[in-house]
Amino acid sequence: QLQLVESGGGLVQPGGSLRLSCAASGFSLEHYAIAWFRQAPGKEREGVSCITDADGYTYYADSVKGRFTISRDNAKNTVYLQMNSLRPEDTAVYYCAEALGEVEARVEATGLQSAGFGSWGQGTQVTVSS
């Protein structure tokens, strides 16, 4: 069974930082693209960031460019999302998910959408508030 578990969320003040983790079990994420999505109350689910397995391709939504960094550690079977300069509008439940096959072309063409991604975890709550 393919499973991903998100962790690292919490309450942080505006301008603060958090690092989210996406840990895989039941499979090796080495050959998967891993993406982070988020969903805030009353809003559509938003693609935040994505990283591919081999060529180092990364994607960031415009809303997080320059503030968030995605990385992977295959030895730990974990993908991270470092979030800096957090804003109240970053408040959401953050999910990670995997995709088989090449995603770079379609992400560049259509943006990071949830279709084609699976093995969704429970999510981790990020709250940015003073």
Side-chain angles (χ1 to χ4, degrees), residues 96-120:
C96 63
E98 54 80 19
L100 289 170
E102 182 59 57
V103 303
E104 179 176 345
R106 65 181 178 90
V107 169
E108 286 297 303
T110 65
L112 181 56
Q113 301 180 0
S114 61
F117 287 87
S119 302
W120 299 85

Side-chain angles (χ1 to χ4, degrees), residues 3 35 66 96 128:
Q3 292 185 336
C96 63
V128 185

Side-chain angles (χ1 to χ4, degrees), residues 1-7 21-25 27 34-37 39 45 93-98 117-125:
Q1 182 78 9
L2 306 181
Q3 292 185 336
L4 297 171
V5 178
E6 304 92 341
S7 64
S21 297
C22 174
S25 63
F27 71 105
I34 303 294
W36 287 95
F37 299 85
Q39 188 162 24
R45 184 164 53 190
V93 178
Y94 284 71
Y95 302 89
C96 63
E98 54 80 19
F117 287 87
S119 302
W120 299 85
Q122 297 269 21
T124 185
Q125 176 71 50

Side-chain angles (χ1 to χ4, degrees), residues 7-113:
S7 64
L11 175 64
V12 65
Q13 294 183 357
S17 298
L18 286 172
R19 188 174 79 157
L20 306 184
S21 297
C22 174
S25 63
F27 71 105
S28 173
L29 55 73
E30 182 177 359
H31 303 294
Y32 289 79
I34 303 294
W36 287 95
F37 299 85
R38 66 186 181 186
Q39 188 162 24
K43 289 193 170 185
E44 298 283 336
R45 184 164 53 190
E46 176 188 15
V48 177
S49 186
C50 182
I51 188 167
T52 59
D53 59 342
D55 64 2
Y57 170 82
T58 57
Y59 166 87
Y60 299 95
D62 288 343
S63 58
V64 307
K65 281 181 180 176
R67 301 188 297 119
F68 291 11
T69 303
I70 191 169
S71 62
R72 67 193 303 150
D73 187 337
N74 288 336
K76 296 181 179 180
N77 217 26
T78 300
V79 169
Y80 303 99
L81 185 67
Q82 178 67 45
M83 307 185 296
N84 298 326
S85 302
L86 284 162
R87 305 166 180 169
E89 54 263 41
D90 295 317
T91 296
V93 178
Y94 284 71
Y95 302 89
C96 63
E98 54 80 19
L100 289 170
E102 182 59 57
V103 303
E104 179 176 345
R106 65 181 178 90
V107 169
E108 286 297 303
T110 65
L112 181 56
Q113 301 180 0

